[in-house]
Amino acid sequence: MKFMKLGSKPDAFQADGKCIKYVTSDLATDVTINVGEVKFYLHKFPLLSKSNRLQKLVLKVSEENSEEINITDFPGGPKAFEICAKFCYGMTVTLNAYNVVATRCAAEYLEMTEDVDRGNLIFKIEVFLNSSIFRSWKDSIIVLQTTRSLLPWSEDLKIVGRCVDSIASKTSVDPANITWSYTYNRKLSAPDKITEVGVKFVELMDTVPKDWWVEDICELDIDLYKRVMIAVKSKGRMDGSVIGEALRTYAVRWLPDSVDALISDAHSLRNKVLVETIVCLLPSDKGVGGCSCSFLLKLLKVAILVGVDDSAREDLVKRISLKLPEASVNDLLFPARSPQTTFYDVELVQCIVNRYMIHEKSRRGLDVERNEKGTGDFVLENGSMLAVGKLIDGYIGEIAHDTNLTLASFIDLSQSIPDSARPIHDGLYKAIDLYLKEHPSLTKAERKKVCGLMDVRKLTMDASMHAAQNERLPLRVVVQVLFFEQVRTAAGVQAVGNNNPRDASHSTTNTDEEWDNKTTTAAEDRKSLKKQMSQMKIKDGEFQKNGKLTKKNSKNSKSGMQLLPSRSRRIFDKLWVVGKGHGENKSSETSGSSQSPTSFAPGDTKSSGSSSRHRRHSIS
């Protein structure tokens, strides 16, 4: 810390309790000055030789025949006045970052200018500020913090503005040129994290990071912090990611962790101002870089709790929508507030997703032109949409547990993303299953409506196995699952029958594409089978009466059926009978596959006839 000593005489000030101070001298004191609650017994001559204000006050007191001078609004209080009085006596005083602003304001009040005496206190303090304080990083921050209690004097004397400019200028310096001390607690904690060859741990620790300054200015009050950050941004030299990190660090430093502390009457107003200030300071980088989506979502949660203005909430929602692919399910779990009856604020998430889709549509319109010119990044953009699809499926799976969640809200949020964002419907199926489990009072039409959200053709083998045994699904959906698994198995067996390992692998990993391209091998069977299924009237009572296998002479089929519950087995029996009538002209491999339920039970290692043995031999 920088300091400056003034004067050479020994300190002769003495105290008599807390409220009386005097100067020990052979001469009797001849003036009494009351500063706040402290009474000073001093001599006129040294004071009047340095202070133009005291000259006027002493003259005024003499005219009024009063014995004391009363100063009630003295900047800096008795301590600052004592420093000024000691300077007038020529006694030794020490100025530092903690008392220099108060002393400067006191000297201004006492009018200790060069007109009264050359080399007066104001001149010496200004030299100290410009040559030492404003050149020091930490001293500038300390001085700026002390100016808060000395308003409006510190503002009128331009001390606040000069401190802000000094701090902002230093943050813009190239980190390689940083030579002053600063606080940075986020360095590597272990040498084994270093991967660069030839770089020592000490050398890497000594490297100054770009965000070296963010921790030090966190000690500033919010109004001063805002001024510093505005000045930093106005320089135009700081990356949005560094500004975002600075705001995140400040929020972590000052926002309480508990909800009760956030909304308490004692701190709710302060927290509201803090959040609104951070929002207005967010970097305007159009969603590229800057603050992370996780931080923005947490900030939005706090903003809702403390009741920030609508403009601040709208700004956060807009920014979050641009970064939605980076979010996690936990980040989207906003607690609902009255008059909402759900546990989570689903409407807010719906708004964020809608904004994201609007932005994506407009951006994809521009990307069409870029792709035509060869400048687009299709893989990156498609990956973002897939990430959002996975996010929404995870979110609706989480909120499906809420018994107060309406069917309309569940369906609207599920349909808020395009089909291209969901190449696989396993996540959606899981959410639907949970919703059906938590809402057993749904009507048959409502269950059918919610199940209509998923495409059974886009379920993986595991999901199809689960769906085929799911008692909560409507019978029609179970039939569709069994049918499409039948077709998929038939397509896979035919690919294996061609003795082409490459085709077999393609059939296993690209079932959706296979479904679209199998018009020559399974189209007739599907058409006939669908027609007969539409003529069937599937009722629970009918299945209870006809629950026996029709193909009694097939041991392997029967053993495979035992892996399914009775309800799914009865449906499969009906489907198997229908499929048998239209599969007689197929090859032995295809017929064996269509009759075997092993596609629904991968763990079953039993053979289903010579065709199964032939299939295993071909794969091996």
Side-chain angles (χ1 to χ4, degrees):
M1 179 184 295
K2 304 292 183 180
F3 64 92
M4 181 176 70
K5 286 189 176 181
L6 299 175
S8 57
K9 296 180 181 180
D11 188 353
F13 268 69
Q14 300 293 326
D16 184 4
K18 295 182 179 180
C19 298
I20 296 177
K21 291 198 174 183
Y22 59 93
V23 177
T24 56
S25 174
D26 296 336
L27 300 175
T29 59
D30 54 1
V31 63
T32 303
I33 303 176
N34 297 319
V35 180
E37 298 178 352
V38 180
K39 190 183 293 292
F40 290 89
Y41 293 96
L42 305 172
H43 302 86
K44 291 181 181 179
F45 175 74
L47 298 178
L48 301 184
S49 65
K50 299 289 186 180
S51 171
N52 188 38
R53 183 69 171 265
L54 289 178
Q55 291 178 14
K56 299 175 184 178
L57 292 175
V58 168
L59 179 61
K60 182 179 180 181
V61 169
S62 300
E63 294 175 352
E64 296 176 353
N65 295 323
S66 177
E67 297 180 355
E68 297 181 356
I69 299 174
N70 295 312
I71 304 177
T72 58
D73 57 345
F74 193 82
K79 292 183 178 180
F81 180 82
E82 183 177 344
I83 293 176
C84 293
K86 288 180 179 179
F87 176 80
C88 293
Y89 279 91
M91 299 176 186
T92 302
V93 294
T94 301
L95 297 179
N96 54 45
Y98 290 100
N99 63 17
V100 66
V101 178
T103 306
R104 175 65 181 87
C105 295
E108 187 70 22
Y109 181 92
L110 295 174
E111 299 177 9
M112 302 175 72
T113 62
E114 294 297 289
D115 297 336
V116 182
D117 185 42
R118 189 172 182 181
N120 213 341
L121 185 56
I122 291 178
F123 172 77
K124 291 185 180 296
I125 292 177
E126 286 296 328
V127 171
F128 178 55
L129 288 172
N130 294 325
S131 63
S132 298
I133 294 295
F134 295 145
R135 292 187 178 185
S136 170
W137 166 251
K138 289 192 173 180
D139 286 347
S140 297
I141 296 175
I142 295 172
V143 167
L144 180 59
Q145 188 74 320
T146 62
T147 60
R148 183 179 176 83
S149 61
L150 293 163
L151 297 172
W153 287 91
S154 57
E155 190 71 65
D156 295 338
L157 295 174
K158 311 297 183 184
I159 298 177
V160 177
R162 287 186 287 172
C163 282
V164 169
D165 186 66
S166 171
I167 295 171
S169 298
K170 288 178 176 60
T171 61
S172 302
V173 174
D174 186 348
N177 298 328
I178 300 298
T179 57
W180 51 81
S181 174
Y182 63 91
T183 302
Y184 191 83
N185 298 321
R186 288 166 290 171
K187 296 177 180 179
L188 293 177
S189 58
D192 56 358
K193 291 185 178 181
I194 302 176
T195 57
E196 297 183 21
V197 179
V199 179
K200 296 181 180 180
F201 179 67
V202 177
E203 293 177 355
L204 190 59
M205 290 281 286
D206 292 338
T207 302
V208 179
K210 290 183 179 180
D211 58 348
W212 62 267
W213 51 273
V214 303
E215 291 182 359
D216 287 336
I217 66 171
C218 280
E219 299 305 315
L220 295 173
D221 293 322
I222 186 61
D223 53 344
L224 296 175
Y225 181 83
K226 179 180 180 180
R227 293 186 62 169
V228 170
M229 291 302 299
I230 290 176
V232 170
K233 294 174 66 177
S234 65
K235 299 288 184 181
R237 305 171 188 173
M238 194 62 61
D239 292 340
S241 58
V242 179
I243 294 177
E245 176 61 20
L247 297 175
R248 188 197 67 82
T249 305
Y250 191 83
V252 172
R253 170 67 176 81
W254 291 104
L255 287 175
D257 296 330
S258 65
V259 175
D260 293 337
L262 276 172
I263 61 178
S264 64
D265 296 336
H267 303 291
S268 60
L269 181 60
R270 179 187 71 88
N271 294 333
K272 177 182 177 182
V273 173
L274 193 150
V275 172
E276 290 177 348
T277 301
I278 292 178
V279 172
C280 77
L281 291 174
L282 291 173
S284 55
D285 52 10
K286 298 182 180 180
V288 180
C291 300
S292 66
C293 186
S294 178
F295 169 63
L296 293 175
L297 285 165
K298 292 176 182 177
L299 195 61
L300 180 57
K301 289 181 182 179
V302 176
I304 295 172
L305 289 173
V306 300
V308 300
D309 296 338
D310 292 340
S311 59
R313 289 183 57 182
E314 184 69 17
D315 189 15
L316 282 173
V317 170
K318 179 180 179 182
R319 291 174 180 272
I320 292 170
S321 66
L322 299 177
K323 293 176 171 285
L324 190 58
E326 304 174 12
S328 66
V329 174
N330 288 334
D331 292 333
L332 294 179
L333 298 178
F334 298 97
R337 307 195 72 184
S338 181
Q340 294 176 333
T341 58
T342 55
F343 190 74
Y344 297 113
D345 193 342
V346 181
E347 295 179 2
L348 179 59
V349 176
Q350 180 74 67
C351 179
I352 294 174
V353 175
N354 291 342
R355 281 183 169 272
Y356 171 78
M357 294 309 305
I358 292 174
H359 172 71
E360 279 298 303
K361 288 179 181 179
S362 61
R363 191 177 70 173
R364 287 178 181 274
L366 297 175
D367 290 340
V368 171
E369 300 178 2
R370 294 179 182 176
N371 290 331
E372 291 176 355
K373 297 179 181 179
T375 59
D377 194 345
F378 174 78
V379 176
L380 179 62
E381 294 161 3
N382 193 49
S384 299
M385 186 62 73
L386 293 177
V388 172
K390 184 177 180 181
L391 175 68
I392 297 304
D393 286 348
Y395 178 76
I396 60 178
E398 190 68 31
I399 65 175
H401 296 281
D402 190 351
T403 56
N404 292 327
L405 180 65
T406 63
L407 179 62
S409 297
F410 183 85
I411 292 177
D412 290 343
L413 191 56
S414 301
Q415 294 178 334
S416 60
I417 56 175
D419 293 339
S420 59
R422 262 194 207 105
I424 298 176
H425 279 206
D426 285 17
L428 180 59
Y429 165 68
K430 180 180 178 182
I432 292 173
D433 183 40
L434 290 172
Y435 189 81
L436 293 176
K437 180 180 179 181
E438 298 296 334
H439 300 77
S441 61
L442 292 177
T443 65
K444 183 177 180 181
E446 289 174 335
R447 291 167 60 222
K448 180 179 178 182
K449 187 175 182 180
V450 71
C451 289
L453 294 172
M454 66 175 175
D455 186 349
V456 296
R457 294 174 298 178
K458 295 184 178 181
L459 297 177
T460 62
M461 179 69 72
D462 292 338
S464 296
M465 286 292 298
H466 187 279
Q469 305 174 56
N470 195 338
E471 297 288 341
R472 288 183 287 272
L473 296 181
L475 296 175
R476 182 178 181 86
V477 176
V478 176
V479 170
Q480 290 176 341
V481 171
L482 295 173
F483 167 69
F484 286 120
E485 274 303 312
Q486 186 86 339
V487 175
R488 180 156 55 183
T489 303
V493 171
Q494 183 176 15
V496 173
N498 293 332
N499 294 325
N500 190 336
R502 180 177 179 181
D503 292 342
S505 174
H506 180 74
S507 175
T508 303
T509 58
N510 299 285
T511 57
D512 294 339
E513 185 178 352
E514 286 281 343
W515 168 258
D516 295 332
N517 296 329
K518 280 294 178 180
T519 56
T520 58
T521 59
E524 294 181 1
D525 287 341
R526 285 202 309 270
K527 184 177 180 181
S528 176
L529 193 54
K530 285 183 179 180
K531 182 177 180 180
Q532 294 192 38
M533 281 198 304
S534 64
Q535 296 174 355
M536 290 193 302
K537 296 182 179 179
I538 304 176
K539 300 180 180 179
D540 289 340
E542 181 180 347
F543 280 114
Q544 291 174 0
K545 296 179 181 179
N546 301 311
K548 298 182 179 180
L549 289 174
T550 58
K551 189 66 175 178
K552 295 182 180 180
N553 58 347
S554 177
K555 296 181 180 180
N556 294 317
S557 296
K558 185 174 181 179
S559 63
M561 285 298 181
Q562 292 175 352
L563 297 177
L564 299 176
S566 59
R567 175 172 177 262
S568 298
R569 198 181 310 149
R570 291 192 298 269
I571 300 173
F572 191 88
D573 290 342
K574 184 73 68 174
L575 181 62
W576 188 86
V577 172
V578 176
K580 182 175 181 300
H582 293 269
E584 295 176 353
N585 297 328
K586 291 190 175 185
S587 63
S588 61
E589 292 85 349
T590 305
S591 299
S593 173
S594 63
Q595 296 172 13
S596 173
T598 54
S599 60
F600 301 99
D604 188 5
T605 58
K606 292 184 179 182
S607 173
S608 60
S610 60
S611 61
S612 299
R613 289 194 298 270
H614 177 69
R615 181 169 68 251
R616 288 197 299 271
H617 178 73
S618 298
I619 293 177
S620 60

